[in-house]
Amino acid sequence: MNTILSPSEFRLTSLAHGGGCGCKLAPGVLQALLADQPKAAPFASLLVGTETSDDAAVWQIDDQTCVIATTDFFMPVVDDPTDFGRIAATNAISDVYAMGGRPIFALAILGMPLGKLPVEMVRDILAGGAAACAGAGIPVAGGHSIDAPEPIYGLAVIGLCHPSEVRRNSMARPGDRLILTKSIGIGIYSAALKKGALDGDAYAEMVASTTLLNKIGADLAKNPAVHAMTDVTGFGILGHGLEVARGSGATVEIEAGRVPLLARAETWAKDGFVTGASKRNWASYGADVDLAEGIEPWRVDLLTDPQTSGGLLVSCAAEEAETILASIRAAGYPAATIIGTVHEGAGRISVV
């Protein structure tokens, strides 16, 4: 017989074997699963499907309107249930922003071990998700729930945009500069949390980053100098940069020393606070990454670090990059930084 513990008697993360976007299947596994799936090419209105591993599906309704649809969910990355709900919802909504759209409503996805977890904690998770949706100006209009062996929460999100404002991850052009809007290191912080090394300041920094909505994506999509966007989540900056490179038929160059890091990320990476997902990521795509001589192993661990509710990777015209960067920072993303360049090539990523 299961015993329901009080919220103070256990850590929410202890109920899950993994957490946040680190739960995602490794890129190589995902490619193998999708390899034989039928293509969606016969549907002319489907502007974006599975072909380039983009952030959401896009369906054109008419000359003025596209519908953007996505779903994202995962297991707890933090122990506070309200924060878990906020982070999971923010992460799910991000896919719509990454495609250049504005969300209009969400549906909740909930799986909870109700024989183990207090109902009050489940309510707090849902409340956190609703709060993040309120911040995006959208309702949680419904959803579905199951009794599951591990806690799972996320959203299906619907958004809209004009056809001219759709931004794929496959539209980067040689000569473009790359902007990352948030610091990386969330996976490292998650590992530190599980080992009891995450203090109050670091926890606050982690939650502030993962609950910062990527609203700027909808504004950037109105700028014709912004060519491509994607959000950086479970595959790390290298994995999602590689998706841009493959989809665009280009080589993406990342300047490792320019990538913004959370305050303790470097220290903890050097101390070995690395997730298993980081190693799986490298095993999946490392053969397509060219590392400059002297790139330290801890830095590679950070570049493959799975980001939960990470920032946007924006590919834009070089001559407009500084102006676009300034507008992103002014909109409330102070860590935004130009981190690289797009070159002619064939679906590879280089780290210098």
Side-chain angles (χ1 to χ4, degrees):
M1 180 176 178
N2 291 330
T3 300
I4 300 178
L5 301 175
S6 71
S8 62
E9 290 180 294
F10 67 92
R11 299 174 64 179
L12 189 57
T13 52
S14 71
L15 297 177
H17 73 279
C21 287
C23 296
K24 291 177 71 169
L25 295 178
V29 174
L30 190 59
Q31 286 181 349
L33 290 174
L34 297 177
D36 297 326
Q37 296 300 308
K39 302 298 182 183
F43 298 91
S45 294
L46 185 64
L47 301 188
V48 182
T50 61
E51 53 282 339
T52 58
S53 302
D54 223 319
D55 297 298
V58 180
W59 186 277
Q60 186 168 354
I61 298 295
D62 54 36
D63 291 342
Q64 300 298 314
T65 310
C66 286
V67 173
I68 301 170
T70 185
T71 182
D72 212 320
F73 51 89
F74 47 61
M75 290 168 281
V77 67
V78 294
D79 292 312
D80 182 280
T82 304
D83 287 342
F84 170 41
R86 292 170 63 209
I87 293 167
T90 302
N91 176 75
I93 297 167
S94 177
D95 287 341
V96 171
Y97 293 132
M99 300 303 301
R102 296 187 182 278
I104 56 173
F105 70 89
L107 304 173
I109 300 165
L110 180 70
M112 288 292 148
L114 293 179
K116 301 176 182 178
L117 197 65
V119 172
E120 295 81 8
M121 292 189 75
V122 181
R123 289 199 193 105
D124 287 343
I125 292 168
L126 294 173
C133 288
I138 64 173
V140 179
H144 185 65
S145 60
I146 61 170
D147 186 2
E150 296 181 283
I152 297 169
Y153 177 68
L155 300 174
V157 188
I158 304 299
L160 300 174
C161 73
H162 189 278
S164 67
E165 294 169 6
V166 175
R167 289 296 180 271
R168 300 170 174 86
N169 64 2
S170 58
M171 298 168 68
R173 305 176 187 177
D176 279 1
R177 295 290 274 160
L178 297 169
I179 300 172
L180 180 63
T181 63
K182 291 185 186 181
S183 298
I184 68 169
I186 296 298
I188 298 287
Y189 273 46
S190 177
L193 184 149
K194 289 184 177 180
K195 295 180 179 180
L198 200 73
D199 61 24
D201 289 343
Y203 180 81
E205 182 189 21
M206 177 183 179
V207 172
S209 178
T210 53
T211 58
L212 176 61
L213 289 160
N214 283 322
K215 289 182 177 181
I216 189 64
D219 297 324
L220 291 172
K222 298 181 182 302
N223 186 339
V226 173
H227 301 145
M229 287 193 295
T230 190
D231 62 348
V232 178
T233 55
F235 301 156
I237 184 67
L238 289 187
H240 293 286
L242 185 58
E243 289 177 341
V244 171
R246 288 170 173 165
S248 303
T251 291
V252 165
E253 179 184 271
I254 301 293
E255 299 172 48
R258 293 182 61 87
V259 176
L261 306 177
L262 296 174
R264 312 273 186 89
E266 178 177 339
T267 298
W268 281 333
K270 289 178 177 178
D271 289 342
F273 287 73
V274 179
T275 68
S278 178
K279 301 301 184 184
R280 292 193 298 273
N281 282 342
W282 181 254
S284 292
Y285 55 65
D288 292 325
V289 179
D290 301 311
L291 296 177
E293 186 176 352
I295 299 293
E296 305 94 330
W298 64 264
R299 200 178 290 278
V300 176
D301 287 336
L302 273 167
L303 295 175
T304 57
D305 187 55
Q307 301 309 289
T308 298
S309 192
L312 298 178
L313 183 62
V314 181
S315 183
C316 64
E319 64 272 16
E320 298 293 330
E322 291 291 346
T323 300
I324 292 169
L325 175 64
S327 70
I328 294 171
R329 288 178 173 172
Y333 305 84
T337 306
I338 296 174
I339 65 163
T341 308
V342 180
H343 300 284
E344 293 186 357
R348 294 188 66 83
I349 193 163
S350 64
V351 181
V352 300

